[in-house]
Amino acid sequence: MTDEQQIVLEVDEFYRGYIDGFNREDIDLFMQTFDLPFVILSGDRAAIVCATEADQQTFYAQMMAGIQGRGWARSAVDQTRVWPLAANLATLMADVTRYRRDGSVIERLRAFYTLRRDARSWKIVTLMQATAPFRGPGAIPRE
């Protein structure tokens, strides 16, 4: 297995673990999966920089309140793509579907992450979402 293939496997495994923890509302795991500082980028507003654990906890609470307010019960990973950029740096594209308790779809989204590996594990450094009809780099179709 090449170094690039190993990175792809590691990042994919990291992300699926992140979503599993997200679905369990495991704030400890959530806190461990992000690097400090990390940045959320959006075309709708200025960058949100989370520089401290308190910022990260606030971001988590606001995000969970927002999706739970729309009836969220769980998220499912539909597809991922990983592009290694260096031995300790990668970009991840993830198509995710958010569901309500009754199984109906709240939304389908495409998120892009920049991740870096520290001495222990991969960590999210940036997060941004492609807003429909835009699909992001490569215009990869949703599966």
Side-chain angles (χ1 to χ4, degrees):
M1 179 178 306
T2 68
D3 289 345
E4 285 194 20
Q5 290 169 325
Q6 183 64 36
I7 291 168
V8 168
L9 289 173
E10 288 175 9
V11 169
D12 187 71
E13 181 180 317
F14 163 86
Y15 187 72
R16 291 177 189 282
Y18 163 75
I19 291 296
D20 179 59
F22 189 86
N23 285 335
R24 290 183 285 111
E25 299 181 46
D26 183 341
I27 190 168
D28 293 330
L29 182 121
F30 183 85
M31 298 292 283
Q32 294 168 14
T33 57
F34 283 83
D35 207 357
L36 289 176
F38 68 91
V39 180
I40 296 94
L41 302 169
S42 166
D44 296 333
R45 60 185 167 276
I48 298 169
V49 178
C50 292
T52 66
E53 285 186 13
D55 293 341
Q56 187 179 16
Q57 289 171 344
T58 299
F59 169 70
Y60 176 80
Q62 290 172 344
M63 177 183 53
M64 292 308 284
I67 63 173
Q68 288 171 340
R70 295 187 294 151
W72 174 84
R74 68 180 180 86
S75 298
V77 178
D78 302 320
Q79 117 175 272
T80 62
R81 297 276 176 102
V82 177
W83 294 273
L85 303 172
N88 295 317
L89 188 68
T91 296
L92 165 72
M93 178 202 82
D95 287 344
V96 174
T97 302
R98 290 183 174 157
Y99 295 95
R100 293 180 184 89
R101 282 179 185 72
D102 67 5
S104 63
V105 173
I106 296 172
E107 66 183 336
R108 297 182 195 286
L109 61 91
R110 174 167 285 176
F112 290 88
Y113 302 81
T114 305
L115 299 103
R116 76 171 199 88
R117 180 174 36 203
D118 66 12
R120 294 174 303 205
S121 63
W122 288 95
K123 306 271 186 178
I124 298 167
V125 180
T126 65
L127 165 60
M128 57 193 144
Q129 189 172 328
T131 306
F134 302 101
R135 292 182 282 174
I140 297 166
R142 278 195 63 98
E143 290 186 349

